[in-house]
């Protein structure tokens, strides 16, 4: 096919950058082999997950990853990798309109023993995040926890934070860190440069330690490293101006669904409004969960429901989405109100419910990572806000993007186990953020927020439900009917307010 090698050039850059993030150099032959694969980014991730200590990626490693590949599950419905020419001035690259990179949900847990299954999950988390920390100059003399001895010189360890406590007298922090080899208590003194950092249970951190001379005294933390998003990295951008709209929390079936505002959004997307030029450039819509209101999600929810049957709610969702122009590709993930298992990662909607949705809807797991015109999007509903906001000093429901920064620093969407976010004990931790996205979109808190962190656009994508009695009781004030319209060639953002009246631009962030 003419121009095929030009597609390859765009992907090549992406893959080299991905391996660089993992401190690996990819050999020419290995790169060539990856580029011939249908989903090269997914295979690359699997190569990294093999856990070879070598700083190189060889042809043999790629072949091994390919031999181990399992066919994708029945829930994966990626758009065919159709190629469209880009028409930007002087830009001859071709790009994929939509590529699924990974779904967080990776099939049911292996084995029946819950304790062993959770232990596998946490080992997977540790390995995935430790890989991002290893090799950093800040973590000098990095060692397994079991080999740390009193009286040694400066030493670093990477640990999963099992417990955080404060000393009674002097209010120093004491962390219990675990790795594959053992467990260690370390002290974060109040006067330490690491003290202003808060530590969350079950996140993975690297710490530089000053070890005590006498056995029995705690090692002191002198510096903390988080997996984080690299300061400089290759960013994904569309070759010409194309736009995507980010929405969340439709809550179809609720009495409080904002039907009029939704109607204005539909008119806008159909080009029947004052922003028709903007609408014409949109070809993707992403919805970050709570597609319907569900049933039995909170006490006495039935009083708030206009449609009390969950199957009927999805039928209505299908009708509402069918109002949008057929040319749009609509990507949806479930949320805690949707009719799938509430433990995260959540699988995509079951086939019976998906059947009610138009053919241009791609139903994915929560969370999912995909590329739209080369821009990598991580879509996560955001249930973990309920755990992270109380746990992070100064965090609030009104500013979810601050918490999203912390998610990126941890490279994990929902680390805390045993609180309000149920975690599924899957063999692979699908809540690890890898690769680092260009856009992170969440919902759940029914507000609207946009910010940027190290080049990543953070969006908390509003809601199409007015305030409910339950939210009033919990003091949650929604910011509904906002749509985030993102130019995928620049990541510039236009926010539109579809509250009754004309759609209004409510500020643009460059
Ligand atoms: Fe919601």
């Amino acid at each position: 096919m003419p121009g095929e090698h030009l597609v390859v050039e765009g992907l090549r850059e992406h893959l080299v950058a991905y391996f660089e993030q993992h401190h690996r150099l990819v050999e020419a032959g290995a790169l060539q082999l990856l580029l011939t694969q249908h989903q090269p980014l997914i295979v690359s991730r699997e190569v990294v997950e093999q856990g070879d200590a070598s700083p190189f990626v060889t042809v043999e490693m790629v072949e091994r990853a390919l031999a181990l590949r399992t066919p994708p599950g029945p829930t994966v419905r990626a758009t065919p990798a159709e190629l469209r020419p880009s028409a930007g001035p002087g830009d001859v690259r071709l790009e994929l309109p939509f590529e699924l990179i990974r779904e967080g949900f990776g099939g049911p847990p292996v084995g029946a023993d819950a304790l062993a299954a959770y232990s596998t999950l946490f080992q997977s988390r540790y390995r995935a995040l430790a890989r991002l920390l290893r090799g950093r100059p800040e973590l000098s003399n990095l060692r397994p926890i079991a080999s740390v001895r009193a009286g040694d010189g400066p030493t670093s360890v990477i640990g999963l934070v099992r417990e955080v406590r404060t000393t009674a007298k002097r209010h120093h922090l004491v962390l219990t860190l675990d790795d594959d080899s053992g467990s260690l208590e370390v002290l974060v003194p109040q006067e330490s440069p690491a003290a202003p950092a808060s530590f969350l249970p079950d996140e993975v951190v690297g710490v530089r330690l000053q070890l005590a001379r006498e056995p029995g005294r705690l090692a002191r933390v002198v510096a903390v490293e988080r997996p984080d998003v690299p300061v400089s990295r290759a960013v994904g951008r569309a070759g010409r101006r194309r736009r995507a709209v980010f929405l969340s929390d439709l809550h179809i079936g609720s009495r409080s669904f904002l039907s009029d505002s939704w109607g204005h959004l539909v008119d806008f997307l159909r080009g029947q409004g004052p922003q028709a030029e903007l609408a014409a450039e949109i070809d993707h819509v992403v919805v970050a969960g709570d597609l319907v209101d569900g049933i039995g999600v909170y006490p006495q929810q039935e009083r708030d429901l206009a449609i009390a049957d969950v199957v009927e709610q999805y039928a209505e969702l299908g009708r509402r989405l069918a109002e949008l122009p057929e040319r749009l590709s609509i990507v949806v993930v479930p949320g805690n109100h949707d009719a799938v298992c509430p433990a995260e990662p959540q699988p995509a909607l079951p086939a019976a419910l998906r059947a009610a949705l138009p053919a241009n809807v791609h139903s994915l797991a929560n969370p999912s990572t995909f590329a739209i015109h080369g821009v990598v999007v991580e879509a996560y509903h955001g249930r973990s806000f309920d755990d992270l906001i109380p746990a992070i000093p100064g965090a609030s429901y009104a500013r979810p993007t601050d918490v999203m920064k912390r998610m990126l620093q941890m490279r994990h969407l929902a680390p805390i186990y045993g609180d309000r976010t149920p975690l599924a004990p899957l063999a692979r931790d699908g809540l690890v953020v890898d690769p680092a996205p260009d856009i992170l979109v969440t919902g759940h808190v029914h507000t609207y927020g946009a910010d940027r962190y190290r080049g990543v656009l953070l969006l908390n994508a509003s809601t199409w439900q007015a305030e409910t009695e339950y939210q009033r009781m919990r003091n949650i004030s929604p910011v509904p009917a906002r749509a985030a319209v993102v130019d995928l060639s620049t990541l510039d953002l236009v926010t539109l307010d579809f509250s009754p009246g004309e759609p209004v631009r409510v500020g643009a962030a460059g």
Side-chain angles (χ1 to χ4, degrees), residues 249 251 289-290 336-337 381 444-446 463 465 471:
D249 293 78
H251 288 268
D290 282 0
N336 57 304
H337 280 249
H381 177 60
H444 188 61
V445 296
H446 290 208
T463 177
Q465 184 185 37
Q471 288 164 346

Short mmCIF file of all heavy atoms in Angstrom, two decimals, residues 249 251 289-290 336-337 381 444-446 463 465 471, ligand 1:
data_model
loop_
_atom_site.label_atom_id
_atom_site.label_comp_id
_atom_site.label_asym_id
_atom_site.label_seq_id
_atom_site.Cartn_x
_atom_site.Cartn_y
_atom_site.Cartn_z
N ASP A 249 -20.66 10.69 33.21
CA ASP A 249 -21.78 10.64 34.15
C ASP A 249 -23.11 11.12 33.54
O ASP A 249 -23.71 12.09 34.00
CB ASP A 249 -21.42 11.44 35.41
CG ASP A 249 -20.31 10.75 36.18
OD1 ASP A 249 -19.13 10.86 35.79
OD2 ASP A 249 -20.61 10.07 37.18
N HIS A 251 -25.93 9.29 33.51
CA HIS A 251 -27.01 8.89 34.44
C HIS A 251 -28.37 8.82 33.76
O HIS A 251 -29.38 9.31 34.30
CB HIS A 251 -27.03 9.81 35.67
CG HIS A 251 -25.88 9.58 36.58
ND1 HIS A 251 -25.92 8.71 37.64
CD2 HIS A 251 -24.62 10.07 36.55
CE1 HIS A 251 -24.75 8.69 38.25
NE2 HIS A 251 -23.93 9.50 37.60
N GLY A 289 -17.92 6.93 32.03
CA GLY A 289 -18.62 6.09 33.00
C GLY A 289 -19.87 6.69 33.62
O GLY A 289 -20.17 7.86 33.43
N ASP A 290 -20.62 5.86 34.36
CA ASP A 290 -21.97 6.18 34.84
C ASP A 290 -22.83 6.56 33.63
O ASP A 290 -23.41 7.65 33.56
CB ASP A 290 -21.97 7.26 35.92
CG ASP A 290 -21.57 6.70 37.30
OD1 ASP A 290 -21.30 5.49 37.39
OD2 ASP A 290 -21.54 7.49 38.26
N ASN A 336 -19.42 3.23 38.48
CA ASN A 336 -19.98 2.45 39.59
C ASN A 336 -21.50 2.35 39.54
O ASN A 336 -22.10 1.53 40.23
CB ASN A 336 -19.52 3.01 40.94
CG ASN A 336 -19.87 4.46 41.11
OD1 ASN A 336 -19.50 5.30 40.29
ND2 ASN A 336 -20.59 4.79 42.17
N HIS A 337 -22.17 3.18 38.70
CA HIS A 337 -23.62 3.05 38.54
C HIS A 337 -24.01 2.06 37.44
O HIS A 337 -25.18 1.75 37.28
CB HIS A 337 -24.25 4.42 38.23
CG HIS A 337 -24.45 5.27 39.45
ND1 HIS A 337 -25.70 5.57 39.95
CD2 HIS A 337 -23.57 5.87 40.28
CE1 HIS A 337 -25.58 6.33 41.03
NE2 HIS A 337 -24.28 6.53 41.25
N HIS A 381 -13.22 5.97 35.35
CA HIS A 381 -14.41 6.62 35.89
C HIS A 381 -14.08 7.49 37.11
O HIS A 381 -14.53 8.63 37.21
CB HIS A 381 -15.47 5.58 36.26
CG HIS A 381 -16.66 6.22 36.89
ND1 HIS A 381 -17.40 7.18 36.22
CD2 HIS A 381 -17.21 6.11 38.13
CE1 HIS A 381 -18.36 7.61 37.03
NE2 HIS A 381 -18.27 6.98 38.18
N HIS A 444 -17.16 10.88 37.86
CA HIS A 444 -17.57 10.42 39.19
C HIS A 444 -17.95 11.53 40.16
O HIS A 444 -18.93 11.39 40.88
CB HIS A 444 -16.49 9.52 39.82
CG HIS A 444 -16.94 8.86 41.09
ND1 HIS A 444 -18.02 8.00 41.13
CD2 HIS A 444 -16.47 8.95 42.37
CE1 HIS A 444 -18.18 7.58 42.38
NE2 HIS A 444 -17.26 8.14 43.14
N VAL A 445 -17.18 12.63 40.23
CA VAL A 445 -17.47 13.63 41.26
C VAL A 445 -18.45 14.70 40.75
O VAL A 445 -18.80 15.62 41.49
CB VAL A 445 -16.17 14.28 41.82
CG1 VAL A 445 -15.34 13.23 42.51
CG2 VAL A 445 -15.36 14.95 40.73
N HIS A 446 -18.89 14.58 39.51
CA HIS A 446 -19.94 15.44 38.94
C HIS A 446 -19.59 16.92 38.94
O HIS A 446 -20.46 17.77 38.97
CB HIS A 446 -21.28 15.22 39.67
CG HIS A 446 -21.88 13.88 39.38
ND1 HIS A 446 -23.22 13.63 39.41
CD2 HIS A 446 -21.29 12.70 39.05
CE1 HIS A 446 -23.45 12.36 39.12
NE2 HIS A 446 -22.28 11.77 38.89
N THR A 463 -21.06 16.23 34.23
CA THR A 463 -22.16 15.27 34.37
C THR A 463 -23.36 15.80 33.62
O THR A 463 -23.41 17.00 33.29
CB THR A 463 -22.53 15.10 35.86
OG1 THR A 463 -23.64 14.21 35.97
CG2 THR A 463 -22.91 16.42 36.51
N GLN A 465 -26.44 15.07 34.94
CA GLN A 465 -27.44 14.86 35.97
C GLN A 465 -27.43 16.09 36.89
O GLN A 465 -26.35 16.52 37.33
CB GLN A 465 -27.10 13.61 36.79
CG GLN A 465 -28.14 13.24 37.82
CD GLN A 465 -27.70 12.07 38.69
OE1 GLN A 465 -26.53 11.94 39.04
NE2 GLN A 465 -28.64 11.22 39.06
N GLN A 471 -27.01 13.61 46.81
CA GLN A 471 -25.82 14.47 46.72
C GLN A 471 -25.95 15.67 47.64
O GLN A 471 -24.97 16.11 48.25
CB GLN A 471 -25.63 14.94 45.28
CG GLN A 471 -25.16 13.83 44.36
CD GLN A 471 -25.34 14.19 42.90
OE1 GLN A 471 -26.03 15.13 42.55
NE2 GLN A 471 -24.70 13.40 42.06
FE1 LIG B 1 -21.90 9.54 38.61
#
